[in-house]
Amino acid sequence: MPVITTIEDLRVLAKKRVPRMFYDYADSGSWTESTYRANSDDFQKIKLRQRVAVNMENRSTATHMAGMAAKMPVAIAPVGLTGMQHADGEIKAARAAEKFGIPFILSTMSICSIEDIAEHTRAPFWFQLYMMRDRDAMATMIERARKAGCNALVLTLDLQVIGQRHKDLKNGLTAPPRPTVANILNLMTKPHWCLGMAGTRRHTFRNLVGHVKGVSDMRSLAAWTNEQFDPRLSWADVAWVKERWGGKLILKGIQDVEDAKLAVQSGADAIVVSNHGGRQLDGAQSSIEALPAIVAAVGSDIEVWMDGGIRSGQDVLKAWALGARGTLIGRAMVYGLGAMGEEGVTKALQIIHKELDITMAFCGRTDIQTVDRSILVPGTYPVAAP
């Protein structure tokens, strides 16, 4: 086993162990992947101010996200097909998050179901909802999340239509997956992955199969899914979800100040500045570039979080310094899961937390609640336009 010291180490190991079509599904963007790359690259442009001769004892990275205590301002993002990165992937990621002390968000398009997560964890988790045309199915899913003890609902707004992801097209990846001959040959080189999948009954989208009217197997699921993402999604639908849910509501996919203001008006409890990991509108701003303007516009009225491009604890600290009161990690979690299962997710969280903690100390702070943009070198970070 190689020595793992960074998220990049986990990525390299995951690429060796996860079948190509599923690794590429997670580690790709739309079209030219320019926004996917910018999400990470723009963090590297931001420089930190090193401070010395300050007492660095008794440091704390603890905070709350939507009222839920978190060891650091990080939650595991909802990632579709997580259970295809590693057998029972969502369960393993949720367990790692629970033990570490951060929130876990389950995707609508997960392999393990809402009930699977509730059965295998004790801490409350959050559920991410995609709005489908079938409103009865959506109402049922919201009720299932409530019965499972979910204490927040994350409504994703930026998937009304699906961005074109060239790697998925070239790999023949569909929803549900239909392996091509090339992919089957690739599977033969991943015996550990295959053995794990042979040992679980969770191979399909268990939030949908058996729960949605007319969806009883893979074929009927494919037909339903292809028709269901709703291009008519509007703020009236957000109000519909809020009324039926009745609990904490987080809106994910906000990239524009005007949309952030509308999110505040909707009564949401938090928003996530996100471009869907660069998987939707290629050419959009990176999340960290879009963040300051949104914080300036609505940060005093609503919790502002962000995701996209976070590969280290330094990235988390920079996002916090620019006003994000929470971050979500998707690919960093997926790399750990694909590399080493639950142990890998834990390792990813440990790496991020240690980097966050030590970097905060080097910047002369001992409590993340006192961190602001004064830890950053002026002129190296994005600012809100006057």
Side-chain angles (χ1 to χ4, degrees):
M1 171 67 69
V3 176
I4 303 295
T5 61
T6 66
I7 298 299
E8 175 62 11
D9 291 339
L10 291 170
R11 185 197 68 78
V12 171
L13 190 55
K15 189 173 184 179
K16 293 179 181 177
R17 294 184 171 181
V18 177
R20 180 181 56 219
M21 64 176 170
F22 298 124
Y23 173 83
D24 282 353
Y25 168 80
D27 197 35
S28 64
S30 62
W31 289 330
T32 70
E33 298 191 336
S34 65
T35 298
Y36 162 68
R37 293 190 299 272
N39 275 345
S40 294
D41 292 347
D42 286 355
F43 271 110
Q44 305 312 308
K45 300 173 185 177
I46 302 171
K47 302 304 178 185
L48 299 158
R49 295 177 60 204
Q50 179 176 317
R51 302 299 302 277
V52 297
V54 294
N55 188 337
M56 297 180 179
E57 295 179 307
N58 302 316
R59 298 187 299 276
S60 173
T61 60
T63 189
H64 288 79
M65 295 176 64
M68 186 170 175
K71 184 174 180 178
M72 58 181 173
V74 174
I76 288 183
V79 179
L81 289 172
T82 295
M84 288 298 177
Q85 302 295 324
H86 193 286
D88 298 334
E90 291 90 357
I91 292 173
K92 289 178 168 60
R95 282 176 170 172
E98 178 179 14
K99 292 173 185 175
F100 201 83
I102 65 168
F104 170 81
I105 310 172
L106 181 70
S107 170
T108 291
M109 304 305 291
S110 61
I111 302 301
C112 302
S113 68
I114 299 169
E115 292 78 13
D116 287 330
I117 304 303
E119 180 183 350
H120 289 89
T121 59
R122 303 178 72 177
F125 63 99
W126 301 342
F127 181 66
Q128 175 267 333
L129 184 72
Y130 284 124
M131 280 302 290
M132 307 292 191
R133 293 176 185 266
D134 187 341
R135 293 298 192 262
D136 288 340
M138 296 299 94
T140 298
M141 202 167 290
I142 290 170
E143 184 58 30
R144 287 170 56 206
R146 181 182 292 109
K147 288 182 178 179
C150 295
N151 58 359
L153 193 70
V154 180
L155 178 61
T156 295
L157 300 177
D158 60 356
L159 204 76
Q160 293 172 260
V161 295
I162 300 176
Q164 183 168 308
R165 302 155 192 172
H166 292 172
K167 289 178 182 175
D168 289 350
L169 293 173
K170 291 176 180 178
N171 285 332
L173 183 66
T174 58
R178 296 174 184 170
T180 63
V181 172
N183 287 331
I184 292 174
L185 293 175
N186 181 251
L187 286 175
M188 295 171 65
T189 69
K190 314 293 181 182
H192 185 267
W193 183 92
C194 291
L195 184 63
M197 295 305 295
T200 180
R201 66 184 186 278
R202 302 178 181 93
H203 300 132
T204 188
F205 296 109
R206 287 166 62 89
N207 279 328
L208 302 175
V209 173
H211 294 284
V212 175
K213 184 177 180 180
V215 177
S216 58
D217 55 25
M218 296 287 273
R219 179 175 298 180
S220 57
L221 171 63
W224 186 86
T225 302
N226 290 338
E227 298 175 353
Q228 281 299 316
F229 287 101
D230 195 347
R232 304 166 300 176
L233 177 65
S234 70
W235 289 101
D237 295 309
V238 175
W240 183 89
V241 170
K242 181 175 174 58
E243 180 182 356
R244 276 153 185 77
W245 172 242
K248 290 188 180 294
L249 180 64
I250 300 153
L251 301 181
K252 183 174 181 290
I254 304 297
Q255 279 280 107
D256 186 88
V257 166
E258 294 307 312
D259 286 337
K261 292 177 180 177
L262 290 170
V264 172
Q265 294 174 18
S266 76
D269 297 278
I271 60 174
V272 185
V273 178
S274 173
N275 52 43
H276 215 94
R279 293 164 63 77
Q280 287 295 93
L281 176 60
D282 190 39
Q285 284 182 301
S286 68
S287 296
I288 195 64
E289 185 179 31
L291 176 65
I294 292 175
V295 169
V298 303
S300 61
D301 301 319
I302 195 171
E303 281 187 45
V304 179
W305 307 343
M306 65 83 61
D307 74 6
I310 293 174
R311 301 292 186 273
S312 72
Q314 289 199 342
D315 296 340
V316 173
L317 188 68
K318 291 171 182 178
W320 180 282
L322 291 175
R325 289 300 165 261
T327 62
L328 309 186
I329 58 167
R331 291 186 176 97
M333 175 275 293
V334 164
Y335 299 151
L337 182 69
M340 301 189 300
E342 182 177 334
E343 179 186 357
V345 177
T346 299
K347 186 66 175 179
L349 297 177
Q350 290 171 340
I351 288 169
I352 288 173
H353 182 258
K354 186 173 183 179
E355 291 169 338
L356 169 62
D357 175 60
I358 293 176
T359 302
M360 183 176 69
F362 283 145
C363 292
R365 305 298 172 89
T366 57
D367 188 337
I368 198 166
Q369 302 298 331
T370 69
V371 170
D372 57 23
R373 66 180 58 194
S374 66
I375 72 163
L376 307 176
V377 175
T380 68
Y381 56 85
V383 297

